Amino acid sequence: MKVTVLVRPKHGILDPQGEAVQGSLRKLGFAVGGARVGRVVDLEVDAESSQEARAQVERMCQELLANPLIESFEIEVDGA
C-alpha cells in the first residue's frame, strides 16, 4: 500500500529554509506572506488495510521520520 508522509516544522519553530525561500521569492517579485519548507516521504507498506498502514507509518514517524519536538507530520494513505 502506498503511503505519503509530509513532515514540516511545527508552527512557532524557526524555519531558516522557509525564510530563505520567502526572501528569495520576494526578491523575484512574488508576493508571499510566508513559506515553510518540509519534506515528503513516499513509502510502500505491507498492510492488510489502510488503518493498519496508517498505524505502521505513524509509528515510523514517531520513531524515525519526524522529530516530535519540532516537527509535525501528516499521513496520506493512497486509496483511503
Side-chain angles (χ1 to χ4, degrees):
M1 192 164 295
K2 183 178 177 185
V3 180
T4 300
V5 180
L6 173 60
V7 181
R8 66 181 126 202
K10 287 183 176 179
H11 290 286
I13 298 295
L14 183 65
D15 181 10
Q17 286 181 302
E19 290 176 9
V21 167
Q22 178 182 352
S24 295
L25 288 171
R26 285 183 175 170
K27 286 180 184 176
L28 291 171
F30 295 101
V32 293
R36 308 282 293 164
V37 174
R39 63 188 179 279
V40 174
V41 181
D42 290 320
L43 300 166
E44 193 67 39
V45 178
D46 275 341
E48 296 293 322
S49 67
S50 59
Q51 293 85 5
E52 182 184 337
R54 182 177 298 279
Q56 286 182 30
V57 173
E58 187 158 338
R59 188 168 163 224
M60 291 176 198
C61 289
Q62 292 168 348
E63 293 184 18
L64 177 70
L65 299 177
N67 179 341
L69 296 176
I70 62 170
E71 295 175 315
S72 62
F73 59 88
E74 294 176 27
I75 299 170
E76 181 180 313
V77 179
D78 197 28

